Amino acid sequence: MSPTKEDYLKILFELGGRTEQVPNKEIANRLNISPPTVTEMMNSLVKSGWVAYTPYKGSKLTREGTEYAKKLIRKHRLWEVFLVKHLGFSINEVHTEAEMLEHATSTILADKLEHYLDYPAHCPHGGAISVEHMDAQEVRTLHLTEAEIGVPVRISRIVDDEKLLHYFKNHDLKIGDPVTVTDKDSGLDLLTLHHGTSNKEIQISQTVAQYLFVEHI
Amino acid sequence: MSPTKEDYLKILFELGGRTEQVPNKEIANRLNISPPTVTEMMNSLVKSGWVAYTPYKGSKLTREGTEYAKKLIRKHRLWEVFLVKHLGFSINEVHTEAEMLEHATSTILADKLEHYLDYPAHCPHGGAISVEHMDAQEVRTLHLTEAEIGVPVRISRIVDDEKLLHYFKNHDLKIGDPVTVTDKDSGLDLLTLHHGTSNKEIQISQTVAQYLFVEHI
DNA sequence: GTTTTTATTTAGGTTACCCTAAACTAATGA
DNA sequence: TCATTAGTTTAGGGTAACCTAAATAAAAAC
């Protein structure tokens, strides 16, 4: 498996490719790659058994593909913990570094690293590290956009993407913060929150809010 | 720079490409690649300024190429220290892991890692870590094959290659051991040593002895 | 139920990195 | 010095991963 193909599997996972068919365009957007290249790659991933692909519909991960993606994400998150806790990187810096390291990490190395880090439960962005917990976390958590108006929730995870992390930092939102959605305006793509700790009103775009995960308190 | 090209620079450095012209065949052998591929790659490395290449003669690193190679070797050795000291890998296992990690390591990451490891002087195979020490080490140390008969020396460095490390382990040779060359037979490709710590006679092939470095005691 | 728009695919092309077979240089040795 | 051999290069070819432009399919809008 090449780093390139690993990236496709991971993105597919992050876009919900375990349960739903992910359209080519979304993958193309995320990876900054042209749609024809995605089609080509999907055919190749189908041949090696990682992906089930329906032309004009989209791609889903096979069971093997899902397992592979989870292992990659585990490696990614383990490195993030190491980089933040031991090397002193800031949460916003680690994504790019971990993105490179994950492809250069054998299973043995990941296991030894996990032991060294004393089996952390979550990465600095709140994502579950153990392959078993990843699914459980998915069940418990919901997208901020899905939270009901007036129901208090707690931010439990942020999809780790450099730009997104900056956006949330600029809006004073971080993991563990209690928030309550007070208004949703789809036309303006706006979501209004009451921020529990600062007691302030915060407005963020719904598009971006999709990448914030919350849990019921 | 691709990992592939980085490997070419590193091998060139290890084969003495700072000072001498390294023939294509040696590179081809080391990387398990066909000679025409090496020619092609050298032309490409010349174009980007890393290598000076004389057709039919061989390749030398430019100053920039040498600097680049040293930085890679530094990253490699830093990871080896981490893998052995903190993750509990054995000396023989770390080479392959470090070989992958080095290409995925930014300068910032290497710097932070070095700080975390408390600025180690040598990798587990005895190789100098700081770019400045690498040259100094070269001046001080000599190939075991160059050691004079009867003059006691100490093993200071082993080129870290999986097969070589196994070979030396099988012959009970490790870093720090005092040895004295008692005989050299070029016809049989044999080198006979008196091993200071065990007080035994050890015979190893001269071909392999080229990868053992020693210092005068 | 057409038409228009959007998404996807096909076709054809590029670069990086690898290969083998054949041609050519350079070194060796009779 | 000329022939043989060892090493290198040229020629031609392959796959992976990207691209753009054009064709086609599906979804949305009228």
Side-chain angles (χ1 to χ4, degrees):
Chain A
M1 280 286 279
S2 67
T4 308
K5 286 192 175 162
E6 292 188 341
D7 281 336
Y8 278 87
L9 288 192
K10 240 186 52 176
I11 288 294
L12 210 41
F13 184 93
E14 285 168 8
L15 294 173
R18 273 156 305 176
T19 49
E20 294 154 48
Q21 286 184 327
V22 179
N24 280 357
K25 212 205 166 186
E26 280 189 45
I27 301 168
N29 284 344
R30 268 299 198 91
L31 292 173
N32 265 309
I33 269 170
S34 74
T37 305
V38 177
T39 308
E40 189 182 43
M41 182 58 82
M42 285 309 149
N43 285 320
S44 157
L45 290 171
V46 164
K47 239 197 296 186
S48 19
W50 305 114
V51 161
Y53 180 53
T54 318
Y56 292 102
K57 294 289 177 183
S59 321
K60 261 181 82 168
L61 289 165
T62 59
R63 188 144 50 82
E64 293 76 28
T66 307
E67 291 310 308
Y68 199 110
K70 282 186 194 173
K71 286 177 191 165
L72 278 170
I73 291 168
R74 170 174 170 255
K75 290 172 187 175
H76 182 100
R77 292 178 179 171
L78 283 170
W79 280 119
E80 287 191 338
V81 173
F82 174 70
L83 294 171
V84 168
K85 275 188 53 178
H86 293 285
L87 297 198
F89 276 92
S90 80
I91 292 189
N92 299 310
E93 292 170 321
V94 290
H95 180 73
T96 320
E97 300 286 347
E99 197 68 30
M100 304 178 71
L101 289 170
E102 63 185 9
H103 302 295
T105 309
S106 69
T107 307
I108 295 169
L109 174 51
D111 290 348
K112 295 211 184 217
L113 183 62
E114 188 171 31
H115 178 77
Y116 177 67
L117 298 170
D118 205 15
Y119 302 91
H122 300 99
C123 79
H125 313 97
I129 286 180
S130 89
V131 169
E132 298 76 35
H133 281 142
M134 280 182 207
D135 290 323
Q137 188 176 44
E138 284 305 313
V139 175
R140 268 204 332 281
T141 60
L142 51 158
H143 289 86
L144 180 55
T145 47
E146 298 163 343
E148 280 176 70
I149 291 177
V151 178
V153 292
R154 189 182 301 281
I155 297 173
S156 65
R157 182 158 95 79
I158 300 174
V159 169
D160 65 334
D161 171 281
E162 187 113 34
K163 279 182 205 142
L164 287 171
L165 287 164
H166 262 104
Y167 184 89
F168 293 126
K169 203 185 176 188
N170 286 338
H171 288 76
D172 283 321
L173 291 169
K174 59 178 193 299
I175 289 168
D177 288 358
V179 293
T180 310
V181 175
T182 53
D183 188 61
K184 289 183 200 178
D185 188 318
S186 299
L188 296 171
D189 191 44
L190 271 183
L191 199 139
T192 313
L193 303 169
H194 179 260
H195 189 233
T197 42
S198 67
N199 220 14
K200 275 196 283 194
E201 286 266 296
I202 295 178
Q203 288 187 306
I204 61 174
S205 88
Q206 284 201 35
T207 309
V208 165
Q210 291 177 77
Y211 302 102
L212 262 188
F213 295 88
V214 296
E215 280 180 20
H216 288 296
I217 301 181
Chain B
M1 280 285 278
S2 66
T4 309
K5 287 193 175 160
E6 291 188 341
D7 282 336
Y8 277 88
L9 289 192
K10 241 188 49 176
I11 287 293
L12 210 41
F13 183 93
E14 286 168 8
L15 294 173
R18 272 157 305 175
T19 49
E20 295 154 47
Q21 286 185 325
V22 179
N24 279 357
K25 213 206 168 186
E26 281 190 44
I27 302 167
N29 284 344
R30 268 299 198 92
L31 293 174
N32 263 310
I33 268 171
S34 74
T37 305
V38 177
T39 308
E40 189 183 42
M41 182 59 82
M42 286 308 149
N43 284 321
S44 157
L45 289 171
V46 164
K47 238 198 296 187
S48 19
W50 304 114
V51 161
Y53 180 55
T54 318
Y56 292 100
K57 295 290 177 182
S59 320
K60 261 182 82 169
L61 288 165
T62 59
R63 188 143 50 81
E64 293 76 28
T66 307
E67 291 310 309
Y68 199 109
K70 283 186 194 174
K71 286 177 190 165
L72 279 171
I73 291 168
R74 170 175 170 255
K75 289 172 187 173
H76 182 99
R77 292 178 177 171
L78 282 170
W79 281 120
E80 289 191 337
V81 173
F82 174 70
L83 295 171
V84 169
K85 275 190 54 178
H86 293 286
L87 297 199
F89 275 92
S90 80
I91 293 190
N92 299 311
E93 293 170 320
V94 289
H95 180 71
T96 319
E97 300 287 347
E99 197 68 29
M100 304 179 71
L101 289 169
E102 64 184 8
H103 302 296
T105 309
S106 70
T107 307
I108 296 170
L109 173 51
D111 290 347
K112 295 210 184 217
L113 183 62
E114 188 171 31
H115 178 76
Y116 177 66
L117 298 171
D118 206 15
Y119 302 92
H122 301 99
C123 79
H125 314 95
I129 286 180
S130 88
V131 168
E132 299 76 35
H133 282 145
M134 280 183 207
D135 291 323
Q137 188 176 42
E138 284 306 314
V139 176
R140 267 205 333 280
T141 60
L142 50 158
H143 289 86
L144 179 56
T145 46
E146 297 162 344
E148 280 175 70
I149 290 177
V151 178
V153 292
R154 188 182 302 281
I155 297 174
S156 64
R157 182 158 96 78
I158 300 173
V159 168
D160 64 335
D161 172 281
E162 188 114 35
K163 279 182 206 141
L164 287 172
L165 287 164
H166 263 104
Y167 184 89
F168 293 126
K169 202 184 177 189
N170 286 338
H171 289 78
D172 283 320
L173 292 169
K174 58 178 194 298
I175 289 168
D177 287 359
V179 293
T180 310
V181 175
T182 53
D183 188 61
K184 289 184 199 176
D185 188 319
S186 299
L188 296 171
D189 191 44
L190 271 184
L191 200 140
T192 313
L193 304 170
H194 178 259
H195 190 233
T197 41
S198 68
N199 221 15
K200 276 196 281 192
E201 286 266 297
I202 295 178
Q203 288 186 306
I204 62 175
S205 88
Q206 284 201 37
T207 309
V208 166
Q210 290 177 79
Y211 302 102
L212 261 189
F213 295 88
V214 296
E215 279 181 19
H216 288 295
I217 300 180

